[in-house]
Amino acid sequence: MNSIPLSGIVFACVFAAALVGMAIRRVLPEEHLCTDVKETVRLSTALISTMAALVLGMLVSSAKSTYDARKNEVAEMSSEIVSIDRSLERYGPETGNIRNEFRLVVAEGIQRIWPSQTSLASELRPGGKGETLADQLDHLEPKTSTQAAAKSQIALEITTLRRTQWLMYLKSQHNSVPIPLLVVLTSWLVIIFVGFGLFSPPNATIFVTLGLAGLAVSAAIFIILEMYTPFTGVMRISSAPVIEALSQMER
C-alpha cells in the first residue's frame, strides 16, 4: 500500500468531515444544539475517540515490532554473510572462485533489495544463485580433517543465511494493515471530526486547529503504513549493514 496517498485520503476525509459538521450546524434548529445534546455528542465522541486511540496505539506498536524485526534480520543477515566469507577464507585457496561468486551474489542482492533507481521496486525474494553456491561447495574435496569440518560449517552457515532470507521475504508478504481495519478506523475518525465541527464556530482559529488535528491522525496512519513496508518509502531500512559486510568481504 502506498502510504502517502492513503494518509492524504485520511486527512481529506477527516477535515472534510469537520467542514460537514459545521455545515450541519448552520441548518440545525436551535433545540438540537442545546446543552443536553452537546453533552450527549461529547460523550459519544469521547467513546469513539478512546476506541480510535486504542486501535491507533495497537497498530503503531505492531508496525514498530514489524519494522524492528526486519531491521534485526538485515543485521543478522549481514553478520552471516561475513561469517560465511571468513569460513571460506579459512578453508583455503580452493574456495577462491566460490568467494568471488559469493561477493557477486551479495552485491546483486543489495541492488535487488535496495535498487539505486527509485523507480524500481524492492525485491526481497531470494535469487537462485545461492543454490549454485551450495552446489559448488559440494564439489569441494577436503584434504584434511580441518577442511572437512570447515566445509560442514560453511554448508550450515549457507543454509542459515538462506533461511533468514526466505523468512524475511515471507514475513514481508504477510505483514500489512488489514484494509477493513483501516476503513473502520477512518470511519471512526470521520465521526469524531463531524462531532468536532458540529459545535465549532466557523473561524480561522477553528479551521487551523481542526486542520492540525487531521494532519496529526493522518501522520499516524502514514507512519504505520511506512513501518509495515520497511524496504520502500520514506522510512526504508538502511542497506548500510549489508554494504559494510560486502566491504569486509573485499578486504
Side-chain angles (χ1 to χ4, degrees):
M1 290 184 291
N2 198 317
S3 55
I4 296 178
L6 281 176
S7 57
I9 290 172
V10 172
F11 173 77
C13 288
V14 296
F15 190 71
L19 298 180
V20 169
M22 292 180 183
I24 294 175
R25 171 191 174 93
R26 294 180 179 179
V27 299
L28 282 178
E30 191 62 32
E31 61 268 19
H32 287 268
L33 300 174
C34 64
T35 303
D36 291 339
V37 173
K38 289 182 179 179
E39 184 65 16
T40 301
V41 173
R42 186 185 68 81
L43 292 174
S44 300
T45 303
L47 173 62
I48 300 173
S49 298
T50 301
M51 293 190 298
L54 289 173
V55 172
L56 273 175
M58 177 191 69
L59 287 175
V60 169
S61 177
S62 176
K64 183 64 167 58
S65 298
T66 298
Y67 185 87
D68 288 342
R70 300 294 85 76
K71 191 174 181 179
N72 291 335
E73 287 166 358
V74 169
E76 182 180 347
M77 187 171 62
S78 304
S79 175
E80 291 167 354
I81 288 171
V82 175
S83 179
I84 292 172
D85 182 68
R86 293 294 181 265
S87 297
L88 288 169
E89 183 181 20
R90 285 193 298 269
Y91 184 94
E94 298 90 340
T95 61
N97 291 334
I98 298 178
R99 290 186 67 199
N100 291 333
E101 185 69 21
F102 187 40
R103 293 189 192 99
L104 294 176
V105 170
V106 173
E108 180 187 345
I110 293 174
Q111 183 59 32
R112 188 179 67 249
I113 299 175
W114 294 275
S116 55
Q117 298 181 21
T118 55
S119 59
L120 297 177
S122 176
E123 176 57 61
L124 292 179
R125 185 183 180 90
K129 290 188 176 181
E131 303 296 337
T132 303
L133 289 176
D135 292 339
Q136 291 178 0
L137 182 65
D138 289 338
H139 288 90
L140 288 177
E141 297 182 356
K143 298 176 181 178
T144 65
S145 59
T146 302
Q147 286 186 335
K151 180 179 178 180
S152 299
Q153 179 65 26
I154 295 167
L156 178 61
E157 290 173 342
I158 290 177
T159 301
T160 302
L161 176 60
R162 294 290 289 177
R163 180 177 180 273
T164 302
Q165 290 175 317
W166 276 104
L167 277 176
M168 188 170 67
Y169 165 67
L170 293 174
K171 288 178 181 178
S172 68
Q173 294 297 106
H174 295 90
N175 284 326
S176 61
V177 182
I179 295 297
L181 180 59
L182 188 59
V183 171
V184 170
L185 178 59
T186 303
S187 66
W188 288 350
L189 295 173
V190 166
I191 294 172
I192 292 168
F193 274 76
V194 168
F196 289 163
L198 192 60
F199 298 103
S200 300
N203 58 54
T205 301
I206 294 298
F207 287 140
V208 172
T209 301
L210 292 176
L212 291 176
L215 187 63
V217 295
S218 61
I221 298 296
F222 172 78
I223 291 173
I224 291 168
L225 295 174
E226 281 287 308
M227 287 195 293
Y228 268 122
T229 54
F231 293 98
T232 59
V234 178
M235 298 179 65
R236 182 169 59 174
I237 291 176
S238 174
S239 60
V242 187
I243 293 177
E244 176 61 24
L246 181 60
S247 68
Q248 292 292 328
M249 296 168 66
E250 295 172 346
R251 292 181 181 178

